Amino acid sequence: MAKAFASQGDMTEKKITFDEVGRDLWAFTAEGDPNSGVIIGDDSVMIVEAQATPRLANKVIEKVREVTDKPISHIVMTHYHAVRVLGASAYGADQVIMSDVARAMVVERGQEDWDSEFQRFPRLFEGHESIPGLTWPTTTFSDSMTVYLGNRRVDIKHIGRAHTAGDAVIHVPDENVMFTGDIVEDHSACYCGDGHFNDWGGTLDNILAYDVDAIAPGRGGALMGRDAVNSAIASTRDFVNSTYAPAARVAARGGSLKEAWDAVRAACDPKFADYAIYEHCLPFNVARAYDEARGIDTPRIWTAERDIEMWNALQA
């Protein structure tokens, strides 16, 4: 490669924050690294997103133990990506929940995604030797399911394609708080390499319709209050649209992937260059936008080999 992927040299430890976003609802965040959520019920705890390795999952568990000694009974994965799911074994939960589409994506591309992400962003796989293998759900759902943690109701729903085809959101009605996974980000680039640009805006509209009081996003800080929620949804929408539109114009005239890269950079750099993981996401985002604009509905599987091929094309 002409030069390394943006995140291959990123070994800086991130500051962890643990914010209560509603009564007994917590957001574990780390300066643009993958977030996790904590939902404390009457007798047990649900974790949203497992982290990439058991060692990193233990950092979430340490924070949980600062606020409750209740057992962790459920893990919900909002999608299939390795950085979200491979730490699941650390929690000892009886139930691991994904959408049925997310499970199908583990079958189709889970190992390839693991290999690819490990190469791209080694810091997020601290303690990778402790990963026992791919994470498989014990329970899946098509459109929605409800879990009761005692009297606390937790609704888990697929409300549209966005970051992946199988995205789930988790809504806790008694506090009107939502955990959105990577459908919504806050001052962090959206990773769109497995995304659906033309569906993403409608899925954001579906989140807006809940009129929630707080969101724990996929990356970035906890969003407290309607103004913060609406601002993050708007900036996420702008990021997705600003990435797709220039790439689509290039594709429509038969231009190259490299031309799409230049066009997206011209549109996005002035607005988003200071966002967390912006440089990391950009090549994958451009490649997917260019594909979707040329009529490829199902994102092509990323492999370590394809990553390098794509990166060399963009650096030529």
Side-chain angles (χ1 to χ4, degrees), residues 27-29 34-36 84 178-186 215-223 232:
F28 175 100
T29 67
N35 294 343
S36 289
R84 299 294 183 179
M178 184 174 282
F179 300 81
T180 64
D182 288 314
I183 302 172
V184 177
E185 312 286 29
D186 180 48
I215 281 178
R219 293 176 186 266
L223 304 168

Side-chain angles (χ1 to χ4, degrees), residues 98-170:
M98 292 181 186
S99 72
D100 51 10
V101 174
R103 186 189 186 282
M105 297 182 85
V106 176
V107 173
E108 178 190 45
R109 58 184 70 196
Q111 186 62 54
E112 290 84 355
D113 178 72
W114 180 357
D115 294 342
S116 171
E117 291 198 51
F118 181 78
Q119 171 188 250
R120 299 179 197 176
F121 214 147
R123 180 176 55 78
L124 292 183
F125 290 87
E126 174 190 330
H128 63 89
E129 65 282 352
S130 62
I131 301 170
L134 293 172
T135 296
W136 297 99
T138 61
T139 303
T140 65
F141 65 95
S142 298
D143 299 314
S144 66
M145 67 177 290
T146 297
V147 174
Y148 286 91
L149 301 174
N151 290 318
R152 170 159 264 181
R153 173 176 173 162
V154 180
D155 293 327
I156 307 166
K157 299 187 177 186
H158 172 67
I159 59 173
R161 303 191 303 182
H163 177 67
T164 72
D167 292 337
V169 298
I170 297 88

Side-chain angles (χ1 to χ4, degrees), residues 18-310:
F18 196 55
D19 298 312
E20 192 168 21
V21 294
R23 179 184 56 83
D24 290 334
L25 304 172
W26 297 82
F28 175 100
T29 67
E31 297 185 301
D33 276 1
N35 294 343
S36 289
V38 178
I39 301 170
I40 302 174
D42 294 333
D43 301 312
S44 67
V45 176
M46 175 183 286
I47 301 294
V48 180
E49 316 286 41
Q51 298 285 318
T53 69
R55 183 181 298 177
L56 291 173
N58 280 323
K59 296 183 179 181
V60 178
I61 294 170
E62 288 173 6
K63 290 297 183 182
V64 172
R65 292 297 165 237
E66 291 177 6
V67 295
T68 183
D69 59 0
K70 295 173 183 177
I72 296 169
S73 57
H74 296 74
I75 303 173
V76 182
M77 310 299 189
T78 65
H79 59 286
Y80 80 99
H81 282 152
V83 294
R84 299 294 183 179
V85 306
L86 294 179
S89 63
Y91 298 94
D94 291 333
Q95 293 292 316
V96 178
I97 301 168
M98 292 181 186
S99 72
D100 51 10
V101 174
R103 186 189 186 282
M105 297 182 85
V106 176
V107 173
E108 178 190 45
R109 58 184 70 196
Q111 186 62 54
E112 290 84 355
D113 178 72
W114 180 357
D115 294 342
S116 171
E117 291 198 51
F118 181 78
Q119 171 188 250
R120 299 179 197 176
F121 214 147
R123 180 176 55 78
L124 292 183
F125 290 87
E126 174 190 330
H128 63 89
E129 65 282 352
S130 62
I131 301 170
L134 293 172
T135 296
W136 297 99
T138 61
T139 303
T140 65
F141 65 95
S142 298
D143 299 314
S144 66
M145 67 177 290
T146 297
V147 174
Y148 286 91
L149 301 174
N151 290 318
R152 170 159 264 181
R153 173 176 173 162
V154 180
D155 293 327
I156 307 166
K157 299 187 177 186
H158 172 67
I159 59 173
R161 303 191 303 182
H163 177 67
T164 72
D167 292 337
V169 298
I170 297 88
H171 183 237
V172 184
D174 64 34
E175 289 291 302
N176 198 27
V177 169
M178 184 174 282
F179 300 81
T180 64
D182 288 314
I183 302 172
V184 177
E185 312 286 29
D186 180 48
H187 289 89
S188 176
C190 302
Y191 174 73
C192 310
D194 298 297
H196 295 269
F197 286 93
N198 284 306
D199 291 5
W200 205 312
T203 302
L204 290 173
D205 289 340
N206 291 337
I207 290 173
L208 275 173
Y210 278 82
D211 200 21
V212 294
D213 294 316
I215 281 178
R219 293 176 186 266
L223 304 168
M224 304 292 293
R226 306 289 175 86
D227 289 347
V229 166
N230 292 338
S231 177
I233 291 174
S235 67
T236 299
R237 191 190 306 273
D238 186 28
F239 185 96
V240 171
N241 291 342
S242 297
T243 301
Y244 183 70
R249 287 193 291 268
V250 171
R253 62 174 173 78
S256 68
L257 177 63
K258 178 62 166 64
E259 290 174 301
W261 163 263
D262 292 337
V264 172
R265 291 214 77 125
C268 289
D269 282 6
K271 293 190 283 188
F272 307 117
D274 63 342
Y275 275 27
I277 68 167
Y278 174 72
E279 292 291 343
H280 169 81
C281 293
L282 193 63
F284 306 99
N285 293 357
V286 173
R288 174 56 193 152
Y290 183 72
D291 276 357
E292 184 170 329
R294 293 184 301 143
I296 300 173
D297 182 66
T298 300
R300 291 188 287 154
I301 297 174
W302 289 103
T303 65
E305 294 75 22
R306 185 185 166 214
D307 288 359
I308 294 171
E309 178 184 352
M310 177 269 297

